[in-house]
């Protein structure tokens, strides 16, 4: 199952397909007893997709058989042992993908000439993905983080490794004065510079916040290199280049929590300042219009905010029940994706942060 949404991957998902491009969305659960029915709900959703394919006169028999085969293969790939809060299956002639999301999705099946990506985009924004570069004298490991998990990533040629050509005892050398530090050795410094250059290429391709872990000596040398690591958040913690993903996650957790608190405080101050400048908007109805007009500069959403609405003659959104005709269960995700499309910054904050701002608010461009 896929987790990591890069700009290139999103562009590929959004390109037009030969009809039908099928999107199957279903909520899932991380724990018992809520997850007991996940497998049944998923199978029912795939069965509904097949039913729609069979009854759609625009779908030829050959294409229907192809897409049904893709749906079956996708279903076989799903491992609900590692389920999160939502699951998304894309299937079209000759291809399929399965995405696990850390954000709930409405249960629905959509046949179109493009895949339905807004829930995927919203979930990715909510996860706040980041990079971790763990450095040591003989190994540079890249980790991909977000949504409470960390996994090793082999993008950009990582991990970088270096074999010592001699028995290098850094502690003895520092003790006897033969060398000032492991990381002052010129070959080690060159190794760190190579890692910094490789990390710069990764960030150009997939920009995210960067955290760098390592011994203080290694972090100091990276600062001197003047590359991308100099502007990263430094975490003085050695040993993580050879560690497990769980060890990296635990080491980063206090730093991430502190940074999240600082960023939430900064966002609330910015919203308050925008209110004084008359550049403030709140509520899904107002922000739905502002997002479509490209007026949103910063969108702020509470992490678990979901609301079902329907159009009122195209002018306003009004509350609706999930089963209502033309109900839009993912309007928050629509707003998030539209804002990202127009270059806005999107930030998710803890529930209860916005309160009177109706759980979703924005700073407007004009």
């Amino acid at each position: 199952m896929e987790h990591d949404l890069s700009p290139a991957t999103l562009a590929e998902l959004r390109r037009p397909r030969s009809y039908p491009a099928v999107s199957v969305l279903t909520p899932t659960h991380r724990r018992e007893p809520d997850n007991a029915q996940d497998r049944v709900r998923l199978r029912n959703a795939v069965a509904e997709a097949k039913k729609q394919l069979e009854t759609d006169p625009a779908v030829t028999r050959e294409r229907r058989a192809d897409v049904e085969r893709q749906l079956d293969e996708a279903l076989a790939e799903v491992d609900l042992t590692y389920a999160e809060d939502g699951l998304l299956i894309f299937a079209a002639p000759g291809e399929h993908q399965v995405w696990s999301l850390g954000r709930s999705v409405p249960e629905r099946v959509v046949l179109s000439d493009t895949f339905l990506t807004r829930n995927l985009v919203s979930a990715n924004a909510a996860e706040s993905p980041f990079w971790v570069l763990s450095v040591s004298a003989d190994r540079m490991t890249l980790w991909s983080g977000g949504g409470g998990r960390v996994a090793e990533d082999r993008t950009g040629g990582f991990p970088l490794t270096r074999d010592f050509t001699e028995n290098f005892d850094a502690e003895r050398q520092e003790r006897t004065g033969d060398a000032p530090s492991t990381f002052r050795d010129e070959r080690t410094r060159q190794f760190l510079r190579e890692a910094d250059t490789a990390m710069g290429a990764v960030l150009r391709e997939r920009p995210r916040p960067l955290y760098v872990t390592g011994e203080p000596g290694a972090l100091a040398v990276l600062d001197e290199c003047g590359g991308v690591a100099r502007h990263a958040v430094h975490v003085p913690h050695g040993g993580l280049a050879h560690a497990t993903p769980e060890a990296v996650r635990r080491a980063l957790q206090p730093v991430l929590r502190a940074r999240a608190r600082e960023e939430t405080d900064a966002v609330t101050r910015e919203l308050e300042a925008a209110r004084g400048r008359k550049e403030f908007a709140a509520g899904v109805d107002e922000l739905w219009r502002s997002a479509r007009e490209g007026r949103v500069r910063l969108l702020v959403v509470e992490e678990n905010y979901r609301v079902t609405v329907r159009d009122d003659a195209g002018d306003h959104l009004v509350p609706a029940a999930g089963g209502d005709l033309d109900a839009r269960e993912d309007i928050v995700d629509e707003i998030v994706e539209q804002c990202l499309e127009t270059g806005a910054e999107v930030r998710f904050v803890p529930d209860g942060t916005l309160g009177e701002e109706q759980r979703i608010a924005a700073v407007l461009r004009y």
Side-chain angles (χ1 to χ4, degrees):
M1 297 191 289
E2 304 287 344
H3 292 279
D4 192 11
L5 183 67
S6 68
T9 300
L10 180 59
E12 167 62 19
L13 287 174
R14 283 178 166 166
R15 70 171 174 81
R17 260 75 179 173
S18 298
Y19 188 85
V22 180
S23 302
V24 178
L25 293 76
T26 182
T28 54
H29 303 85
R30 299 174 188 250
R31 300 176 182 86
E32 298 178 346
D34 296 331
N35 61 5
Q37 296 299 313
D38 284 353
R39 174 64 63 181
V40 174
R41 294 180 69 173
L42 179 58
R43 286 176 177 166
N44 288 343
V46 170
E48 173 60 25
K50 290 181 178 180
K51 180 179 178 181
Q52 291 191 26
L53 288 168
E54 187 173 354
T55 58
D56 190 333
V59 181
T60 65
R61 179 182 300 177
E62 293 176 350
R63 285 230 172 122
R64 182 176 72 246
D66 188 346
V67 176
E68 286 181 347
R69 183 169 60 254
Q70 298 297 330
L71 286 169
D72 287 338
E73 291 179 7
L75 188 60
E77 293 174 11
V78 173
D79 186 353
L80 291 176
T81 304
Y82 303 102
E84 297 177 274
D85 302 306
L87 194 71
L88 182 53
I89 292 176
F90 294 137
E95 62 175 321
H96 68 270
Q97 290 190 36
V98 180
W99 288 83
S100 178
L101 309 183
R103 184 168 165 84
S104 185
V105 298
E107 193 165 26
R108 63 188 304 193
V109 174
V110 178
L111 273 62
S112 183
D113 57 359
T114 58
F115 293 136
L116 184 67
T117 60
R118 59 176 172 254
N119 304 93
L120 180 58
V121 170
S122 179
N124 186 71
E127 287 192 345
S128 302
F130 57 87
W131 294 116
V132 182
L133 177 62
S134 294
V135 304
S136 70
D138 64 339
R139 182 181 175 90
M140 309 290 180
T141 306
L142 180 64
W143 311 92
S144 175
R149 62 177 179 269
V150 172
E152 186 175 353
D153 195 296
R154 295 182 177 266
T155 299
F158 287 99
L160 304 180
T161 59
R162 168 188 173 218
D163 293 328
F164 287 113
T165 58
E166 61 186 55
N167 185 15
F168 186 71
D169 187 344
E171 289 186 3
R172 183 193 63 80
Q173 289 190 350
E174 287 192 52
R175 206 167 46 241
T176 60
D178 293 338
S181 166
T182 306
F183 300 102
R184 295 298 173 182
D185 172 74
E186 183 53 38
R187 288 168 299 174
T188 304
R189 291 168 65 88
Q190 179 59 34
F191 186 47
L192 291 171
R193 286 192 288 268
E194 291 171 2
D196 188 88
T197 300
M199 191 69 238
V202 171
L203 288 172
R204 284 191 294 274
E205 180 77 16
R206 297 158 68 185
R208 298 180 184 179
L210 172 63
Y211 298 84
V212 181
T213 75
E215 296 178 18
L219 300 181
V221 172
L222 283 172
D223 264 349
E224 294 173 9
C225 292
V228 296
R230 185 176 185 180
H231 305 287
V233 177
H234 287 190
V235 182
H237 191 304
L240 296 180
H242 296 271
T244 64
E246 177 60 19
V248 177
R249 187 193 67 81
R250 289 198 305 268
L252 265 290
Q253 200 167 45
V255 180
L256 294 172
R257 285 175 177 168
R259 192 169 180 84
R261 286 193 297 268
E262 293 171 1
E263 292 177 349
T264 297
D265 291 343
V267 162
T268 54
R269 288 194 299 269
E270 190 164 358
L271 288 173
E272 191 59 35
R275 193 193 300 272
R277 299 191 306 266
K278 310 297 185 185
E279 296 173 355
F280 175 86
V284 291
D285 188 34
E286 185 174 1
L287 289 177
W288 177 60
R289 295 193 303 273
S290 298
R292 288 185 302 166
E293 295 166 359
R295 296 176 59 208
V296 177
R297 179 172 66 80
L298 169 65
L299 179 71
V300 185
V301 187
E302 292 190 355
E303 290 171 348
N304 295 301
Y305 181 44
R306 316 286 301 186
V307 62
T308 301
V309 299
R310 60 178 173 80
D311 294 358
D312 182 15
D315 296 324
H316 295 282
L317 299 177
V318 297
D324 287 358
L325 185 65
D326 297 328
R328 300 166 75 164
E329 297 181 52
D330 53 358
I331 189 64
V332 175
D333 290 344
E334 288 187 49
I335 293 171
V336 168
E337 184 180 48
Q338 185 62 49
C339 287
L340 290 170
E341 285 281 353
T342 56
E345 180 184 0
V346 176
R347 300 297 305 277
F348 285 81
V349 296
D351 292 349
T353 300
L354 300 180
E356 63 185 41
E357 282 81 23
Q358 302 176 61
R359 305 191 66 184
I360 183 169
V363 177
L364 303 180
R365 292 190 171 104
Y366 58 91

